[in-house]
Amino acid sequence: MTLLRHFGEPTRRLFFKRTALPIIVVTLLVATLTTGLLLWSATQSDGVAVSRQKSLVALIISKLESGIAHDQESVTVWDDAVSALRSQDAKWVDTNLGTWMHTYFGHDEVYILDPKDAPVYAFADGSAVDPASYQSIRPTTAPLVEKLRAGLKQGDTDGVTEQVLTIGASDMVVISGHPAIVSIKPVVSDSGHIAQVPGQEFLHVAVRYLDGSLLASLRQDYLLDDAHFSWSNMLSPEEASYPLVGRSGSTVGFFVWQPYRPGAFVLFQLVPTLVVVFGLVLGGIIVALAALRRRTLRLIETENHIYHLAHYDLLTGLHSRGHFNSRLADALTLLPATGEQLAILYLDLDRFKQVNDSFGHPAGDELLREFADRLRRLTVEVDTVARLGGDEFIIIQRAVAGENEVKTLCEHLIESARRPFEVAGVQVFVGVSVGVALAPRDGVDQVELVRKADLALYHAKAGGRSGYALFEPEMDQTLAKRKGLEQDLRKALQTPGHIRVHYQPLYTADTNRMTGVEALARWSDAERGWVAPDLFVPLAEETGLIEVLGELVLRQACLDAVLWPIETLAVNVSGLQLNNPSFAMKVTSILLETQMDPRRLELEVTESTLSQRPTECQQNMAALRSVGVRFALDDFGTGFSSLGRLQSLEVDRIKIDRSFVQGFGGSNGDEAIVQAIIDLARATGLSTTAEGVETESQCNYLRKLGCDQLQGFLLSRPVPKEDLQELLDGGSRRATA
Ligand code: C2E
Ligand code: MG
Ligand code: MG
């Protein structure tokens, strides 16, 4: 299981979706809105500007019309003009009424009509021309002429002011395919001294084309870009137009130009700055996002790590106790709805402690990892495999069809744990015991179910290692019994006389002389009778009562044996006692208190004790050895110690386990083993004691093998101190009772 299971591509995608994308979208939205707003304001100001220019053009056109009339009045309201026309002074007329108007005011064509409307003068294309050319524009001007004459005849003064001296007629027309303004004014006397018949005046006709030189001056004077005339109103998007409407209301054409658009101009100026600003903002956001992303991913990584620490066992990668609890709770909640059955398998490795003690913790860890792998292979995805701590594991087996399915898994588990484990370069053999509780059969309460599986495990272990047991209600009673036993033992330890010490003599093999005794705890309970040490010693070890028991036995034994004529008082010591840093001090003070000679005391320890927490153990042993206390290795051959390790163990004696002695004559080659042990002990300078000597033949054989000391029912059973006193009094006689 790696962190990558939680922290990988999906997390990166999630960060993009949940954080980066919204920020980018908001940024783009802001950018779009800002751009939109700018565009909108540019369009608005452009619209205002165009409409103002249209007003300006309207003003120019209307001013142009009145301007032409005004220009005309500079020469038509003039006595000299009337006189020159009457006298037909062609030269004067051309100079003042034609050429002058063209060069000074820019009029394109000039015609003069006599009182009968006959043309008397014509000016076009920059010079005087044949007056007959007027015929070409007559159809267009005739209505204006007629209207003006009628007005003059009636003495109309409509529109006459201080600035406008005479009435006139003008219109927007098309002449020879060109749009033009035509203005007609009567030539009148300015002094009033020349008599004229109203309606019979000479008429001055001025033509100003709108698509000629006028456009150039408009472009120049009013900065109207690309100003031109168009017959139709088909415009390109950049263009604006103003209709030229005649007096009749008909549109002559359109004045078209490219209006100045300040908004678009400003926007255009702003674009590079905006692009740079947006670029910088976007860049900044990307940099900030990248930093945020790194931080977020680191945070997720830490979170995952914490999750992993909380949910997984670091050593094996299996689920942790906490995770197991939550998964079991979930599974139990679903149970009523699915109707399924589940099993809780509580596992405990057998003899794991010995592996740890003999080969060290790294080897133990290696074994646990390998065992976890085997568990994973034996279970399916829906099952939960967790390590509760130490060598305890637990499995939730889901969707169990029946008891048999659970039993099969138990058998597979046991079988797989039996196979050797390769650790620290050697093969070691352990085993596993399994306790099972089934839900809903054994209940659906989480704590109760685990307790029941644990209880079943306890029974499996009690029934011999490498076995399994399914919870049964009677087991609760057994537990209750054990609890009762514990309470009674506690009481017995506090009540003098309930725990006593018996002594089993130790005889020299060659001379058959009692040279020592082994002190053995005995518990006599009013209701239970004699309780076997094999039952209460492990219980005392499990419950921590062993220290009180050990102290009690040692003190009693010293008190009893201090005056006995024996060389050795052997007292059993549990590993737990030896690991207590104050053990040596306690023993020494008991020795002082009872005045027992330390050199007569031999403490019996087991192999596993010697490999545990070596520092405390070694310090205690060294301290005690320094005052003369000896050590014996009890039950030798049942633990993990090899013969090769004997030399490194700081002991003075080896007690060969009774299983070897009792195996004499069998097919296991126990004789050869015992022979090897004795030979090696001798070579290393250690004494040997054979335990459990029950027959004469065993006795004789052990003597032959060279064993130093014998202990067993054949020689004497453990006896109370009074009986031992008798034995001592009777010399080295053997007690058989
Ligand atoms: P152990 O230290 O190996 O003690 C020898 C055990 O072998 C005694 O069992 C003794 O009665 C038994 N025994 C002696 N000769 C024979 C024989 O010929 N045949 C058979 N079958 N058994 C024989 P016991 O008294 O039941 O003690 C059992 C174990 O309990 C002891 O084994 C020792 O490990 C432990 N124990 C007894 N008293 C104490 C104590 O005060 N402190 C501690 N820590 N352990 C104790
Ligand atoms: Mg012993
Ligand atoms: Mg023993």
Side-chain angles (χ1 to χ4, degrees), residues 501 504 518-522 532-538 541 546 549-550 553-554 571-575 577 604 606 634-635 655 657-658 662 691-695 698 711-718:
V501 183
Q504 186 172 30
E518 176 175 0
L520 293 160
R522 291 291 177 265
D534 285 335
L535 200 65
F536 72 83
V537 170
E541 281 181 329
I546 192 69
L549 176 70
V553 172
L554 180 66
V571 179
N572 294 287
V573 168
S574 155
Q577 290 173 269
E604 296 191 4
T606 54
D634 207 355
D635 307 334
K655 294 189 78 174
D657 193 64
R658 70 167 177 265
Q662 278 155 14
E691 295 182 306
V693 183
E694 290 182 356
T695 64
Q698 289 167 351
Q711 176 185 10
F713 292 171
L714 176 75
L715 307 159
S716 172
R717 283 183 176 268

Side-chain angles (χ1 to χ4, degrees), residues 32 131 161 240 276 348 387 414 431 452 463 537 549 576 643 705 729:
T32 313
T161 61
V276 169
D348 186 287
R387 176 169 171 240
I414 291 166
K452 284 173 177 172
V537 170
L549 176 70
L576 288 169
L643 292 176
L705 289 180
D729 294 345

Side-chain angles (χ1 to χ4, degrees), residues 380-419:
V380 289
E381 189 72 22
V382 288
D383 297 342
T384 301
V385 185
R387 176 169 171 240
L388 298 182
D391 60 346
E392 287 186 2
F393 296 83
I394 203 155
I395 297 173
I396 308 172
Q397 191 184 13
R398 302 281 297 269
V400 175
E403 236 177 59
N404 283 342
E405 198 181 325
V406 186
K407 286 180 178 170
T408 311
L409 178 60
C410 288
E411 278 153 19
H412 285 155
L413 291 169
I414 291 166
E415 165 58 29
S416 105
R418 255 203 208 110
R419 280 187 280 119

Side-chain angles (χ1 to χ4, degrees), residues 112-128:
I112 296 173
L113 307 179
D114 66 8
K116 292 202 165 67
D117 294 342
V120 291
Y121 174 77
F123 180 92
D125 300 326
S127 59

Side-chain angles (χ1 to χ4, degrees), residues 358-397:
S358 309
F359 302 103
H361 287 283
D365 289 351
E366 219 177 301
L367 189 146
L368 289 175
R369 270 194 294 268
E370 168 60 23
F371 183 62
D373 281 346
R374 292 185 191 181
L375 290 185
R376 265 192 282 259
R377 283 198 288 272
L378 284 173
T379 48
V380 289
E381 189 72 22
V382 288
D383 297 342
T384 301
V385 185
R387 176 169 171 240
L388 298 182
D391 60 346
E392 287 186 2
F393 296 83
I394 203 155
I395 297 173
I396 308 172
Q397 191 184 13

Side-chain angles (χ1 to χ4, degrees), residues 499-501 503 519-521 546-562 569-573 577 583-594 596 600-604 624 629:
I499 303 284
R500 288 181 233 160
V501 183
Y503 300 92
L520 293 160
I546 192 69
E547 306 225 20
V548 187
L549 176 70
E551 223 176 294
L552 189 149
V553 172
L554 180 66
R555 180 172 287 108
Q556 190 60 52
C558 288
L559 280 173
D560 291 346
V562 71
L569 168 66
V571 179
N572 294 287
V573 168
Q577 290 173 269
F583 177 69
M585 215 179 68
K586 267 187 200 154
V587 174
T588 327
S589 70
I590 289 173
L591 288 170
L592 274 171
E593 181 190 317
T594 56
M596 171 60 113
R600 292 172 66 201
L601 182 65
E602 189 169 275
L603 295 178
E604 296 191 4
L624 290 170
V629 175

